[in-house]
Amino acid sequence: MISEEQFQKELNIIIQNGIREDIGPGDYSSLACIPDNAKGKAKLLVKDNGIIAGVAFAKMVFENVDPTLEIETFIEDGTSVKHGDIVFYVSGSSQSILKAERLVLNSMQRMSAIATKTNQYVKLLEGTNAKVLDTRKTTPGFRACEKWAVKIGGGENHRFALYDMVMLKDNHNDFAGGITNAIKKTKEFLKFNKLDLQIIVEARNLTEIKEIIENEGVYRILIDNFNFEDTRKAVELIGNKCLTESSGNINENTIRQYAECGVNYISSGALTHSVYNMDLSLKAI
């Protein structure tokens, strides 16, 4: 993953772009009927069940819109919530609360859904050595928040983007003239450019597994779209030579069985691309 400093920059970009997109030259609805000096208070109301996420991000949004807004928090990120729970109160300028409302809700609804699904997967793996990973299958422009939500749900982050880890997938290997050639060229490229990046290599079958482990410098092997039996064989072949990761159409019904094959990680794009937003609302009180 990227550095904490870069991660914070990504979050700030999301906030700035969200404000630009939603407010533009002004919130004319509020400007038209609410006095500039009007004060108000609102509550973040949960209308669903799951894991809440995005509380800390919401505070960043409110701070960016209006530093004078005050937040009273009752439930922190990563906490199980149920219908009727109140996560926080926000008070101050009524116009400012309304400016921030949609960005806060959109972000928290999405992040909470991701944290909830991730937590479900994490619980399914209890008692195994496997850990849940996200992927780059995220909403364009919102990746930092979605990966943050995975962490809140108890999962771990894969690479953030194309620049913080090398991942040689089937197309890379084919275009490079084979797995061994792809690994060799990658190691030369990293050395020449003085880049200290981990290398992951995807395998489509057991023959490719054998070829990958003949090469040094591979951090993790992606065992992609293998059945249970071949996954177990792959793990045995790899041994302690490098870490292992299963991926490819893994769901709630199969994730435990893949974990029991002995892999170190299981990655799932479904954590971020197949979730339904948690129902939340910001109500004036």
Side-chain angles (χ1 to χ4, degrees):
M1 274 289 288
I2 56 178
S3 68
E4 182 61 27
E5 180 182 7
Q6 180 61 34
F7 189 73
Q8 290 300 318
K9 288 181 180 178
E10 294 291 339
L11 293 175
N12 288 330
I13 290 171
I14 291 173
I15 293 171
Q16 293 300 322
N17 193 51
I19 291 172
R20 175 203 60 76
E21 180 180 60
D22 202 38
I23 300 174
D27 173 11
Y28 295 142
S29 302
S30 298
L31 290 170
C33 65
I34 300 174
D36 292 345
N37 60 352
K39 301 293 182 182
K41 187 174 184 178
K43 62 183 179 183
L44 194 290
L45 180 65
V46 178
K47 301 166 70 176
D48 210 338
N49 299 321
I51 304 295
I52 200 71
V55 178
F57 183 71
K59 292 178 181 178
M60 293 175 63
V61 174
F62 285 127
E63 170 72 20
N64 199 286
V65 169
D66 183 349
T68 69
L69 290 174
E70 296 181 359
I71 316 296
E72 184 181 4
T73 306
F74 304 109
I75 301 175
E76 300 289 352
D77 283 324
T79 305
S80 294
V81 292
K82 62 184 183 304
H83 191 287
D85 283 345
I86 297 173
V87 179
F88 59 71
Y89 289 146
V90 55
S91 57
S93 166
S94 298
Q95 288 191 3
S96 295
I97 292 172
L98 291 170
K99 283 181 182 178
E101 176 185 11
R102 183 45 52 194
L103 179 55
V104 165
L105 284 175
N106 286 354
S107 301
M108 288 193 66
Q109 288 175 325
R110 182 77 179 166
M111 291 177 71
S112 295
I114 291 169
T116 299
K117 190 172 187 70
T118 301
N119 192 253
Q120 291 171 350
Y121 277 23
V122 169
K123 287 181 177 178
L124 288 170
L125 296 186
E126 286 179 352
T128 74
N129 294 320
K131 297 179 180 179
V132 177
L133 287 174
D134 54 24
T135 69
R136 284 170 45 244
K137 296 176 183 178
T138 55
T139 306
F142 199 62
R143 179 172 295 174
C145 284
E146 293 190 341
K147 283 185 170 285
W148 189 1
V150 168
K151 291 285 286 185
I152 290 171
E156 296 196 6
N157 294 143
H158 208 298
R159 58 179 176 167
F160 184 82
L162 292 171
Y163 56 80
D164 60 315
M165 180 182 284
V166 171
M167 190 168 179
L168 301 176
K169 303 191 76 174
D170 52 0
N171 284 337
H172 297 96
N173 297 330
D174 290 343
F175 283 145
I179 288 174
T180 298
N181 206 32
I183 295 172
K184 179 176 178 292
K185 287 181 176 179
T186 296
K187 289 162 67 175
E188 291 172 350
F189 173 85
L190 295 178
K191 182 178 180 180
F192 179 81
N193 290 281
K194 298 180 181 179
L195 294 170
D196 183 19
L197 299 178
Q198 295 168 334
I199 302 173
I200 297 178
V201 185
E202 178 184 313
R204 290 170 287 195
N205 50 56
L206 292 171
T207 300
E208 291 189 346
I209 293 283
K210 293 175 183 177
E211 182 177 356
I212 294 169
I213 59 179
E214 289 175 355
N215 292 271
E216 295 182 357
V218 175
Y219 171 69
R220 191 159 77 224
I221 295 178
L222 177 60
I223 306 169
D224 191 52
N225 284 302
F226 279 46
N227 59 36
F228 301 133
E229 181 180 355
D230 285 345
T231 299
R232 282 190 288 271
K233 290 179 181 178
V235 170
E236 290 176 4
L237 283 170
I238 296 165
N240 295 321
K241 296 181 179 68
C242 63
L243 296 175
T244 55
E245 172 189 344
S246 278
S247 73
N249 298 312
I250 297 173
N251 56 41
E252 292 92 338
N253 299 319
T254 60
I255 189 170
R256 177 81 187 192
Q257 291 170 278
Y258 276 104
E260 290 173 344
C261 291
V263 295
N264 302 110
Y265 297 97
I266 296 176
S267 56
S268 173
L271 298 180
T272 51
H273 71 54
S274 298
V275 295
Y276 294 95
N277 287 0
M278 181 183 284
D279 193 359
L280 305 170
S281 65
L282 194 66
K283 293 293 186 182
I285 55 176

